[in-house]
Amino acid sequence: EIVLTQSPGTLSLSPGERATLFCRASQSVDSSHLVWYQQKPGQVPRLLIYGASTRATGIPGRFSGSGSGTDFTLTITRLEPEDFAVYYCQQYRSSPPRALIFGGGTRVEIK
Amino acid sequence: QVHLVESGGGVVQPGRSLRLSCAAFGFTFSSYGFHWVRQAPGKGLEWVTTIWHDGSNQYYVDSVKGRFTISREDSKSTVHLQMDSLRDEDTAVYYCVRDGPYNPDYWGQGTRVTVSS
């Protein structure tokens, strides 16, 4: 069974800084199904990136995704105040088909 | 536009049942599979169950197998989650999620389930 491990658990940064978040899969996965979400307290997860690197509709250009195989990265080039949130990666499980697996999340907090 | 609206959450005692519903709007319901994803207080996202677009397959996380049942009612564009023998650890916000062609793409606002005596 695929396990998604996100690191770091918490990232303490200042507005304007660059954030780099990692998502590592326990086995090679299809990058076309790798997704990143942003979640703020009390809100629904928001789709940021799909297919590992494609920004969802309305997502600012400071968000970018990359990676393939087992290693994926979400980069926020210059943090805005509204970017401080929890970020999750997600993939489909190898079995059963179309079932989901989530990473444990990375909290980006204001330093 | 695409809209998912969950209902049916509430406070329930351990061992009792609850039925969640997810009404879908703005797309061809029968063309899509759906998931329920939950989030316990202060915790991360956890996949609970999936039903395929044609209802031919349903899958569950081990912790709910034999207790939860997902179903769909295409005539009403609605997905249901029947939750029986509820436990304290089932306390969470439950989200209905549409399964797009390549990834889950739309989430409902969620419905809160609290299991407490």
PDB file of all heavy atoms in Angstrom, chain B residues 17 22 25 46-47 65 67 69-70 73 99 105:
ATOM      1  N   SER B  17     -26.861   5.024  14.881  1.00  0.00           N
ATOM      2  CA  SER B  17     -26.664   5.190  13.434  1.00  0.00           C
ATOM      3  C   SER B  17     -26.940   6.611  12.990  1.00  0.00           C
ATOM      4  O   SER B  17     -27.650   7.360  13.672  1.00  0.00           O
ATOM      5  CB  SER B  17     -27.601   4.238  12.672  1.00  0.00           C
ATOM      6  OG  SER B  17     -27.329   2.894  12.982  1.00  0.00           O
ATOM      7  N   CYS B  22     -25.433  13.551   0.239  1.00  0.00           N
ATOM      8  CA  CYS B  22     -24.695  14.543  -0.539  1.00  0.00           C
ATOM      9  C   CYS B  22     -25.479  14.781  -1.826  1.00  0.00           C
ATOM     10  O   CYS B  22     -25.533  13.899  -2.690  1.00  0.00           O
ATOM     11  CB  CYS B  22     -23.291  14.029  -0.832  1.00  0.00           C
ATOM     12  SG  CYS B  22     -22.375  15.000  -2.047  1.00  0.00           S
ATOM     13  N   PHE B  25     -25.205  19.096  -7.812  1.00  0.00           N
ATOM     14  CA  PHE B  25     -25.838  20.022  -8.749  1.00  0.00           C
ATOM     15  C   PHE B  25     -24.823  20.460  -9.797  1.00  0.00           C
ATOM     16  O   PHE B  25     -23.628  20.552  -9.527  1.00  0.00           O
ATOM     17  CB  PHE B  25     -26.346  21.272  -8.014  1.00  0.00           C
ATOM     18  CG  PHE B  25     -27.287  20.978  -6.886  1.00  0.00           C
ATOM     19  CD1 PHE B  25     -26.801  20.795  -5.600  1.00  0.00           C
ATOM     20  CD2 PHE B  25     -28.646  20.877  -7.108  1.00  0.00           C
ATOM     21  CE1 PHE B  25     -27.654  20.510  -4.541  1.00  0.00           C
ATOM     22  CE2 PHE B  25     -29.521  20.595  -6.071  1.00  0.00           C
ATOM     23  CZ  PHE B  25     -29.009  20.414  -4.782  1.00  0.00           C
ATOM     24  N   GLU B  46      -8.714  12.057   5.985  1.00  0.00           N
ATOM     25  CA  GLU B  46      -8.733  10.596   5.919  1.00  0.00           C
ATOM     26  C   GLU B  46      -9.802  10.153   4.934  1.00  0.00           C
ATOM     27  O   GLU B  46     -10.982  10.480   5.088  1.00  0.00           O
ATOM     28  CB  GLU B  46      -9.013   9.989   7.302  1.00  0.00           C
ATOM     29  CG  GLU B  46      -9.050   8.472   7.266  1.00  0.00           C
ATOM     30  CD  GLU B  46      -9.480   7.840   8.578  1.00  0.00           C
ATOM     31  OE1 GLU B  46     -10.320   8.419   9.299  1.00  0.00           O
ATOM     32  OE2 GLU B  46      -8.983   6.739   8.884  1.00  0.00           O
ATOM     33  N   TRP B  47      -9.389   9.398   3.939  1.00  0.00           N
ATOM     34  CA  TRP B  47     -10.349   8.799   3.020  1.00  0.00           C
ATOM     35  C   TRP B  47     -11.177   7.758   3.777  1.00  0.00           C
ATOM     36  O   TRP B  47     -10.644   6.976   4.557  1.00  0.00           O
ATOM     37  CB  TRP B  47      -9.616   8.146   1.863  1.00  0.00           C
ATOM     38  CG  TRP B  47     -10.479   7.261   1.025  1.00  0.00           C
ATOM     39  CD1 TRP B  47     -11.399   7.658   0.093  1.00  0.00           C
ATOM     40  CD2 TRP B  47     -10.546   5.829   1.045  1.00  0.00           C
ATOM     41  NE1 TRP B  47     -12.009   6.557  -0.468  1.00  0.00           N
ATOM     42  CE2 TRP B  47     -11.510   5.433   0.103  1.00  0.00           C
ATOM     43  CE3 TRP B  47      -9.870   4.853   1.781  1.00  0.00           C
ATOM     44  CZ2 TRP B  47     -11.821   4.091  -0.138  1.00  0.00           C
ATOM     45  CZ3 TRP B  47     -10.174   3.515   1.556  1.00  0.00           C
ATOM     46  CH2 TRP B  47     -11.150   3.146   0.604  1.00  0.00           C
ATOM     47  N   LYS B  65     -15.191  -0.703   7.685  1.00  0.00           N
ATOM     48  CA  LYS B  65     -15.745  -1.870   6.977  1.00  0.00           C
ATOM     49  C   LYS B  65     -16.728  -2.616   7.866  1.00  0.00           C
ATOM     50  O   LYS B  65     -16.459  -2.878   9.034  1.00  0.00           O
ATOM     51  CB  LYS B  65     -14.622  -2.807   6.541  1.00  0.00           C
ATOM     52  CG  LYS B  65     -13.892  -2.363   5.296  1.00  0.00           C
ATOM     53  CD  LYS B  65     -12.798  -3.350   4.907  1.00  0.00           C
ATOM     54  CE  LYS B  65     -12.026  -2.861   3.698  1.00  0.00           C
ATOM     55  NZ  LYS B  65     -10.880  -3.740   3.380  1.00  0.00           N
ATOM     56  N   ARG B  67     -19.451  -1.469   8.951  1.00  0.00           N
ATOM     57  CA  ARG B  67     -20.268  -0.507   9.722  1.00  0.00           C
ATOM     58  C   ARG B  67     -20.859   0.582   8.829  1.00  0.00           C
ATOM     59  O   ARG B  67     -21.964   1.058   9.085  1.00  0.00           O
ATOM     60  CB  ARG B  67     -19.437   0.147  10.813  1.00  0.00           C
ATOM     61  CG  ARG B  67     -18.827  -0.829  11.808  1.00  0.00           C
ATOM     62  CD  ARG B  67     -18.201  -0.087  12.995  1.00  0.00           C
ATOM     63  NE  ARG B  67     -17.115   0.806  12.601  1.00  0.00           N
ATOM     64  CZ  ARG B  67     -17.082   2.108  12.839  1.00  0.00           C
ATOM     65  NH1 ARG B  67     -18.090   2.705  13.450  1.00  0.00           N
ATOM     66  NH2 ARG B  67     -16.031   2.838  12.464  1.00  0.00           N
ATOM     67  N   THR B  69     -21.900   2.116   4.907  1.00  0.00           N
ATOM     68  CA  THR B  69     -22.294   1.706   3.567  1.00  0.00           C
ATOM     69  C   THR B  69     -22.526   2.940   2.710  1.00  0.00           C
ATOM     70  O   THR B  69     -23.313   3.816   3.075  1.00  0.00           O
ATOM     71  CB  THR B  69     -23.594   0.877   3.596  1.00  0.00           C
ATOM     72  OG1 THR B  69     -23.435  -0.248   4.464  1.00  0.00           O
ATOM     73  CG2 THR B  69     -23.946   0.400   2.191  1.00  0.00           C
ATOM     74  N   ILE B  70     -21.813   2.994   1.593  1.00  0.00           N
ATOM     75  CA  ILE B  70     -22.014   4.077   0.642  1.00  0.00           C
ATOM     76  C   ILE B  70     -22.966   3.585  -0.448  1.00  0.00           C
ATOM     77  O   ILE B  70     -22.917   2.425  -0.859  1.00  0.00           O
ATOM     78  CB  ILE B  70     -20.671   4.554   0.032  1.00  0.00           C
ATOM     79  CG1 ILE B  70     -20.858   5.824  -0.799  1.00  0.00           C
ATOM     80  CG2 ILE B  70     -20.002   3.453  -0.786  1.00  0.00           C
ATOM     81  CD1 ILE B  70     -19.554   6.467  -1.266  1.00  0.00           C
ATOM     82  N   GLU B  73     -28.029   7.350  -5.496  1.00  0.00           N
ATOM     83  CA  GLU B  73     -29.396   7.410  -6.000  1.00  0.00           C
ATOM     84  C   GLU B  73     -29.368   8.358  -7.196  1.00  0.00           C
ATOM     85  O   GLU B  73     -29.555   9.576  -7.046  1.00  0.00           O
ATOM     86  CB  GLU B  73     -30.303   7.933  -4.868  1.00  0.00           C
ATOM     87  CG  GLU B  73     -31.746   7.600  -5.003  1.00  0.00           C
ATOM     88  CD  GLU B  73     -32.534   8.012  -3.761  1.00  0.00           C
ATOM     89  OE1 GLU B  73     -31.967   8.453  -2.736  1.00  0.00           O
ATOM     90  OE2 GLU B  73     -33.764   7.905  -3.835  1.00  0.00           O
ATOM     91  N   ASP B  99     -15.188  12.577  -7.788  1.00  0.00           N
ATOM     92  CA  ASP B  99     -13.994  12.000  -8.387  1.00  0.00           C
ATOM     93  C   ASP B  99     -13.938  12.359  -9.860  1.00  0.00           C
ATOM     94  O   ASP B  99     -14.684  11.816 -10.674  1.00  0.00           O
ATOM     95  CB  ASP B  99     -14.000  10.475  -8.210  1.00  0.00           C
ATOM     96  CG  ASP B  99     -12.641   9.874  -8.497  1.00  0.00           C
ATOM     97  OD1 ASP B  99     -11.625  10.545  -8.221  1.00  0.00           O
ATOM     98  OD2 ASP B  99     -12.588   8.731  -8.991  1.00  0.00           O
ATOM     99  N   ASP B 105     -12.057  16.514  -7.666  1.00  0.00           N
ATOM    100  CA  ASP B 105     -12.005  17.895  -8.128  1.00  0.00           C
ATOM    101  C   ASP B 105     -12.953  18.853  -7.407  1.00  0.00           C
ATOM    102  O   ASP B 105     -12.702  20.057  -7.406  1.00  0.00           O
ATOM    103  CB  ASP B 105     -12.206  17.966  -9.651  1.00  0.00           C
ATOM    104  CG  ASP B 105     -13.470  17.272 -10.134  1.00  0.00           C
ATOM    105  OD1 ASP B 105     -14.293  16.848  -9.282  1.00  0.00           O
ATOM    106  OD2 ASP B 105     -13.620  17.135 -11.365  1.00  0.00           O
TER     107      ASP B 105
END
